[in-house]
Amino acid sequence: MALLQIAEPGQATAPHQHKLAAGIDLGTTNSLVATVRSAQAETLPDEQGRHLLPSVVRYFADGVDVGYTAHEQATRDPLNTIASAKRLIGRAVSDIKSLGKGLPYEFVKTDSRVPRIHTMAGDVSPIEVSAEILKVLARRAEDTLGGELSGVVITVPAYFDDAQRQATKDAARLAGLHVFRLLNEPTAAAVAYGLDRGADGIHAIFDLGGGTFDISILRLNKGVFEVLSTGGDSALGGDDFDQVVAEWIMEQAGIADDADHKVLRQLMLDARKAKETLSYAESTELDIAIPGGGHWLGQLNRETFNALVDPLIRNTISACRRALRDAGEDVEEVQDVVMVGGSTRMPRLREKVGEFFRQPPLVDIDPDRVVALGAAIQADVLAGNKPDNEILLLDVTPLSLGLETMGGLVEKVIPRNTTIPVARAQEFTTFKDGQTAMVVHVVQGEREMAEHCRSLARFELRGIPPMVAGAARIRVTFAVDADGLLDVEAEELSQGVKASVTVKPSYGLDDEEITNMLQASFEHAEEDLEERRLAEARVEGMRVVEALQAALASDSEKLLNAQERRQIETALQELADVIATSDADAIDAQAKHVEQVCEFYVERRMNSGIQQAMAGHNINEFE
Amino acid sequence: MFDLSKNHFELFGLPVSFIVDGAALGERYRDLQRLVHPDRHASGTGQEQRLSLQQTTRINEAYETLKNPVTRAQYLLSLHGIDMQAEKETTRDIAFLTEQLQLREELEQARHAGDTEAVLDDLMNRISTMIKKLVAQMAMQFEDPIPTNLAAAREAVRKMQFLNKLLSEAESLEAELEDMH
C-alpha cells in the first residue's frame, strides 16, 4: 500500500486527527464563542475571565476597539461606537429608518445598497462591524486552543431572511473565517439541551435576544432534529423592552423626543438597568440626568413595568400560536419549552410563556450561553471529529420564497417551513406577443403583494424566441442550500436560453466590494494577499487529500479494483507534491483534477452506504 | 444503488401504493438523511458536497410528496401516466360545488356569529370528515388502478384541493380570533 507523505509543518496528516472548530453566537447585544474540548462544550472567556463579548465596536482613526471598553465609552462617543449592528445587517437604508429612533448613528448616503455609518475611521457597513466582532472571537478561540480554526458555525435567528444570512456569511468572509454552516439559533439551543436529555418528542424553543425573537417547534427522533416550523420577528428583542421603558422615563421626566444622541443613549442604558433590576426586585429607583441640568428622581415598580411590556409579550405569544399551528401540533403535545436569550430572564415573560404552554419553561442552561454551546457541538460534528455521531439537524425555510407575477402579485415557489435543502421549479409564460425578455423578481415573505414582501433580487432573462403570448415556457428554479441561502435560475425551455443569479445583490455586498474591503484590511495588517491565497489553497488542498485518504482507508478494498485505486493514489500524490510548492494556482488546479478523477469513487461510496442502510430494513422489498 | 431515476416509493423501499405506512416512511427518510445530508459531508471534497446536496434535495422532495395525501395521489396518477394540471383543474360536480358554496358562506357567517368558535369548530370538523372520506375512497381506487378508478381518483384530488383550501382558510380565521384575545 502506497503511503502519502506530506511534509507540511503544523498540518494534520492523520485522517482522524481532531480538528479545531468553534461555534459563534453573534448576538445583537453580546456575542460568545464556544468549543468542544474533552467531549464537553464550553464557552471561552477572555483574559479577564469574561465569557460575553459586548457586540460593540468603537472606531478610532487608526483602529478599533471591540467589547467592554467600547461599550463603556458608548455614551461618550456615540457616533464612532456601533452597537446592535445585527439589527442593521442585511438591511437597506430604507428599512433602517423604520427600525426606529433608538439608533444614534450618522448614516451616509451611498450608491451601494448597503447602509454605511460615518465614523472617525471612515464609513463602515454593518457587515464590517460584525466582521470585527467575529475576528476578536476567532482570535480568542485560536489563542485558547493553540492553533488555526478549521471552520466555524455561526448562529443566526431562524427568522433571518436570505439577505441577512448572506450578509452574515459575508462578515465571516471578511473576518477570514471558513463557515461550516449557518445554524439557526433555536436549533442550536435544542442541540445543547437535547444532548443532555435525549428526550424524543416535540420541543418548543423560545428565543428572545437583544434584537430578535424566534420561536421554533421541533421534533427529536433518535438523534434527528426535525424543525417542524419556525416563526418570530427579526425586529423584536430586549432592546424594544428597553425602548418602551425609556419612553416612559422620558414622559415622566419631561425629556423631549428630539434630545441628542448622548442623552438617548444614556436613557437606553438607564432603561435596561431598570429592566434588569426588576428581574429580581419589586421596584427600582431611577435617577435620570435631565439635559440642560438637574435630575429627575423616580421609581418604577413591577406592576407599571409589566403594563409597559405586556403588548410586546403578547406579540411573542401570538407568534408561538402560529408556529404551533404551522407545525400541526397542539399545545398539549409540547413536552418542554426551552428559554433562550438574555431577555428571557424577565419574570413576566416566563410567567406568560408558561401560561401559554401550560408548563414552567426550562431555564437550566444559562440562556446567554446555550446557543453558543449548541453551535460548538455542531461545529465539532461538521469538522468531522465525531464520525459515529447520531445527531442530525433538519432545518426549514423560515419565510416563503416566490416571484412577482402580473399585477404585482406573488406566486409562492417554496412555502415557508419547507425542509432544506430544497429545489422547486415553476413554469411561467410570456404575456405579450413577441416578448423576448422577462424580468424575474425574487421576493421573500408571506404577503400577497410583492411590494409588501422583501425584495431579494431582480434579474432579466433575455433572448426568449419571439412567440405568441402564452406560448413560451419559462422554467424558474429556486434552490435553497443547507445554510438557507437561495439560488435562482430561469430557463426558456424551447431554446434553452438561461439566466441565473445567486441571490445576493439586493442588500448584500457584491464581490467587488468584498475584495476591496479585504484588500484594505490586509493593508492595515500589512499582510500579503498572495500569502493568504496560498495558505487558503493549501488548506483546501489538504482537505481534499485528508477526505480521500480517510475514504481509501475505510472502504477502498471493497469498492475499488487495483487499477482504480492506483489511479486515485497517483492523483493524490501529485496533489500532495504540488501542495509543498508555493504555487496557489497549481494547487487549485490539481485539487480540481483530483476531484474529477475521484468522481466515480465518491458516488460509489455514497451509494454503498445507502444500500446498506436500506438493506437493514427489509431485504424482501429490494430487487 | 441510489438512483435518481427511481420513483419516490422505491427510494424509500416502499411498495407503490396510496396506502403508506407513515411511521416506516419517516424512519427511512431519517435513515437516508443520516447518510446523505450535507452536514454528514461538510469535510468532504467539493464534489462529494455537491452530490450530497443533490441527493438530499431529492429525498426531501420525495418525502414531502409522499407525506401529503393530495400530492401523493397526484404523484401516483403521474406514475400511471396521468399528469394533472395541479390547481388549474377543477371539478364539474354540481352537487359538490353547491356544497362548497354553502360551506364558504358558513365560514363567512362564522366571522360575525356570536359564538364564532363553536361554529368554526363544527365547520372544520365537517370539512375534515369529508377529506377523510375522500382519502378512504382514493385508497380503494388506487388498489385497483383500472382507468375508471384512476379517473375517479383524479376527480377526488380536485375535490380535495377545494376542501384543503377551505380548511386552511378556516384555520386562518381561527388564528385571527385567537390573536385578538
Side-chain angles (χ1 to χ4, degrees):
Chain A
M1 181 172 139
L3 279 178
L4 292 158
Q5 294 280 321
I6 294 149
E8 181 64 23
Q11 294 276 16
T13 46
H16 286 304
Q17 185 163 342
H18 189 85
K19 293 223 182 88
L20 302 182
I24 294 178
D25 173 3
L26 185 60
T28 311
T29 319
N30 293 298
S31 297
L32 286 115
V33 59
T35 191
V36 173
R37 284 197 291 184
S38 325
Q40 196 68 39
E42 53 188 16
T43 53
L44 303 177
D46 66 6
E47 280 154 358
Q48 282 143 70
R50 300 175 297 199
H51 290 253
L52 294 178
L53 176 75
S55 305
V56 182
V57 180
R58 183 181 178 193
Y59 284 87
F60 298 99
D62 58 350
V64 294
D65 197 354
V66 181
Y68 284 96
T69 36
H71 180 57
E72 281 151 20
Q73 300 301 319
T75 37
R76 280 182 40 199
D77 187 15
L79 296 180
N80 295 304
T81 309
I82 318 297
S84 302
K86 190 177 183 178
R87 303 197 101 182
L88 311 176
I89 202 163
R91 291 184 176 275
V93 183
S94 53
D95 297 329
I96 285 166
K97 286 202 186 100
S98 65
L99 274 180
K101 324 142 205 175
L103 297 169
Y105 312 120
E106 257 182 49
F107 287 97
V108 196
K109 277 204 157 101
T110 64
D111 296 338
S112 171
R113 289 155 299 241
V114 179
R116 280 174 204 274
I117 299 163
H118 184 70
T119 73
M120 208 186 278
D123 300 340
V124 297
S125 70
I127 298 174
E128 288 160 281
V129 177
S130 301
E132 294 297 343
I133 298 165
L134 288 173
K135 275 187 216 166
V136 170
L137 293 170
R139 206 180 312 131
R140 184 188 291 180
E142 290 182 340
D143 289 349
T144 314
L145 299 173
E148 203 168 316
L149 291 174
S150 66
V152 295
V153 166
I154 300 177
T155 57
V156 292
Y159 219 55
F160 252 23
D161 64 28
D162 190 77
Q164 290 166 307
R165 280 165 203 268
Q166 196 57 260
T168 304
K169 231 180 165 183
D170 287 346
R173 212 169 133 199
L174 275 179
L177 294 173
H178 173 63
V179 181
F180 284 136
R181 187 75 73 235
L182 295 179
L183 181 61
N184 288 336
E185 285 162 9
T187 318
V191 171
Y193 266 95
L195 285 180
D196 298 334
R197 292 152 192 276
D200 280 3
I202 305 290
H203 304 255
I205 318 287
F206 186 104
D207 180 356
L208 187 64
T212 56
F213 166 64
D214 276 342
I215 172 74
S216 289
I217 309 295
L218 38 91
R219 180 167 52 214
L220 177 60
N221 196 324
K222 295 187 197 109
V224 178
F225 285 96
E226 251 176 284
V227 179
L228 300 177
S229 72
T230 181
D233 188 338
S234 62
L236 171 68
D239 291 359
D240 297 288
F241 290 74
D242 300 345
Q243 182 79 36
V244 294
V245 173
E247 279 165 14
W248 179 83
I249 295 174
M250 285 169 83
E251 204 183 294
Q252 300 290 314
I255 299 171
D257 274 1
D258 53 359
D260 76 10
H261 292 329
K262 281 188 191 173
V263 173
L264 290 177
R265 179 84 74 141
Q266 185 57 45
L267 265 172
M268 287 295 279
L269 290 179
D270 291 334
R272 184 187 299 179
K273 218 173 131 239
K275 176 185 78 178
E276 284 169 6
T277 305
L278 288 170
S279 285
Y280 52 85
E282 280 303 317
S283 79
T284 178
E285 303 296 326
L286 295 163
D287 178 352
I288 307 296
I290 300 212
H295 282 254
W296 175 78
L297 297 176
Q299 200 187 45
L300 177 60
N301 63 26
R302 221 183 238 183
E303 205 183 322
T304 312
F305 175 78
N306 288 351
L308 289 172
V309 300
D310 271 355
L312 295 172
I313 295 178
R314 257 202 304 276
N315 288 345
T316 67
I317 300 293
S318 296
C320 291
R321 197 176 288 121
R322 275 193 298 275
L324 269 178
R325 183 181 305 278
D326 282 352
E329 298 291 339
D330 289 324
V331 84
E332 293 83 16
E333 300 298 319
V334 178
Q335 274 188 12
D336 44 48
V337 186
V338 171
M339 295 296 251
V340 187
S343 303
T344 59
R345 288 203 174 83
M346 277 182 276
R348 180 64 161 185
L349 184 73
R350 290 185 179 178
E351 177 194 328
K352 289 288 178 191
V353 171
E355 224 169 74
F356 175 74
F357 285 104
R358 299 173 204 172
Q359 58 185 307
L362 293 177
V363 291
D364 315 24
I365 303 182
D366 181 347
D368 283 326
R369 297 193 198 180
V370 62
V371 166
L373 293 172
I377 293 167
Q378 187 64 1
D380 193 44
V381 171
L382 296 182
N385 291 332
K386 283 193 183 153
D388 303 322
N389 161 70
E390 280 290 291
I391 297 288
L392 182 65
L393 308 178
L394 304 176
D395 229 315
V396 297
T397 50
L399 300 160
S400 302
L401 292 158
L403 286 174
E404 178 175 348
T405 61
M406 290 297 298
L409 287 168
V410 176
E411 172 79 19
K412 281 179 190 166
V413 179
I414 298 178
R416 73 165 187 274
N417 294 323
T418 304
T419 306
I420 54 172
V422 60
R424 293 271 163 88
Q426 197 111 320
E427 279 186 26
F428 293 88
T429 188
T430 46
F431 83 103
K432 264 191 203 152
D433 287 344
Q435 185 177 345
T436 59
M438 185 179 222
V439 174
V440 178
H441 183 203
V442 184
V443 297
Q444 185 166 30
E446 309 312 316
R447 306 283 296 274
E448 277 180 24
M449 300 299 294
E451 57 178 337
H452 296 141
C453 289
R454 189 71 202 272
S455 165
L456 292 178
R458 208 184 271 273
F459 67 98
E460 246 178 62
L461 176 70
R462 291 178 171 282
I464 301 170
M467 289 180 240
V468 291
R473 286 173 58 218
I474 290 127
R475 185 166 59 204
V476 181
T477 309
F478 279 46
V480 180
D481 70 11
D483 286 322
L485 296 175
L486 173 68
D487 251 305
V488 180
E489 194 181 270
E491 187 182 2
E492 199 289 309
L493 294 174
S494 66
Q495 306 263 321
V497 181
K498 270 192 195 185
S500 69
V501 282
T502 294
V503 171
K504 180 175 180 66
S506 286
Y507 304 102
L509 299 167
D510 56 36
D511 278 347
E512 199 183 331
E513 280 177 296
I514 289 201
T515 312
N516 290 341
M517 282 179 192
L518 276 175
Q519 240 148 9
S521 72
F522 285 126
E523 277 159 24
H524 270 300
E526 284 170 30
E527 209 178 324
D528 188 359
L529 204 59
E530 274 307 303
E531 226 166 76
R532 177 85 202 176
R533 204 170 107 54
L534 176 61
E536 276 171 3
R538 279 182 173 157
V539 169
E540 185 54 33
M542 281 305 298
R543 215 167 56 85
V544 173
V545 171
E546 282 171 20
L548 283 164
Q549 273 180 323
L552 286 172
S554 81
D555 58 18
S556 63
E557 303 270 322
K558 206 171 64 192
L559 298 176
L560 298 175
N561 65 33
Q563 195 206 339
E564 289 167 338
R565 188 182 168 127
R566 245 192 332 274
Q567 192 191 354
I568 290 173
E569 280 171 349
T570 311
L572 267 185
Q573 185 62 58
E574 281 164 10
L575 176 56
D577 290 344
V578 79
I579 286 173
T581 70
S582 311
D583 186 344
D585 289 332
I587 298 172
D588 285 348
Q590 184 61 30
K592 213 164 255 162
H593 172 67
V594 167
E595 289 201 3
Q596 271 164 12
V597 168
C598 297
E599 203 169 329
F600 73 95
Y601 175 43
V602 172
E603 250 179 80
R604 234 179 251 178
R605 295 195 73 225
M606 219 177 264
N607 284 334
S608 115
I610 290 163
Q611 220 169 6
Q612 274 172 20
M614 297 310 280
H617 281 299
N618 182 353
I619 209 83
N620 299 328
E621 287 167 10
F622 288 83
E623 54 271 279
Chain B
M1 293 283 274
F2 191 94
D3 180 354
L4 292 176
S5 70
K6 270 189 176 175
N7 75 42
H8 293 346
F9 294 96
E10 290 165 348
L11 199 61
F12 294 111
L14 294 168
V16 179
S17 162
F18 183 74
I19 301 161
V20 164
D21 176 347
L25 175 65
E27 199 181 317
R28 284 157 200 215
Y29 167 70
R30 286 186 290 273
D31 281 350
L32 282 178
Q33 287 284 24
R34 278 201 190 89
L35 285 164
V36 303
H37 194 275
D39 283 0
R40 294 283 178 209
H41 302 277
S43 51
T45 63
Q47 191 237 338
E48 183 178 332
Q49 292 182 4
R50 279 191 299 279
L51 196 65
S52 138
L53 182 66
Q54 194 187 4
Q55 297 189 340
T56 310
T57 302
R58 168 80 160 88
I59 290 165
N60 278 336
E61 184 203 340
Y63 183 56
E64 279 293 321
T65 308
L66 296 193
K67 245 191 341 186
N68 176 316
V70 171
T71 47
R72 186 166 69 233
Q74 281 178 344
Y75 182 68
L76 266 174
L77 286 170
S78 78
L79 290 182
H80 285 292
I82 299 169
D83 278 314
M84 287 191 67
Q85 291 292 305
E87 280 152 28
K88 283 169 200 145
E89 286 190 15
T90 177
T91 175
R92 291 199 181 85
D93 182 334
I94 300 296
F96 177 83
L97 288 172
T98 316
E99 194 181 11
Q100 288 302 299
L101 279 178
Q102 274 163 3
L103 288 170
R104 210 158 269 280
E105 236 164 74
E106 277 182 55
L107 181 60
E108 254 326 292
Q109 282 159 3
R111 186 185 286 276
H112 310 291
D115 52 346
T116 303
E117 265 164 64
V119 175
L120 208 52
D121 245 15
D122 169 62
L123 185 63
M124 284 163 74
N125 276 335
R126 276 188 287 146
I127 301 171
S128 298
T129 310
M130 292 168 79
I131 291 176
K132 275 188 200 129
K133 230 190 217 160
L134 282 174
V135 168
Q137 277 174 19
M138 280 197 279
M140 281 173 27
Q141 287 149 355
F142 279 115
E143 278 309 285
D144 182 17
I146 52 171
T148 47
N149 277 350
L150 290 177
R154 182 179 192 164
E155 175 70 3
V157 169
R158 292 176 188 140
K159 290 179 178 171
M160 287 273 284
Q161 284 171 343
F162 263 100
L163 292 168
N164 280 337
K165 195 152 179 252
L166 196 60
L167 191 61
S168 84
E169 278 168 34
E171 279 171 355
S172 5
L173 177 58
E174 195 185 35
E176 219 178 280
L177 293 169
E178 278 172 5
D179 277 351
M180 270 174 355
H181 58 241

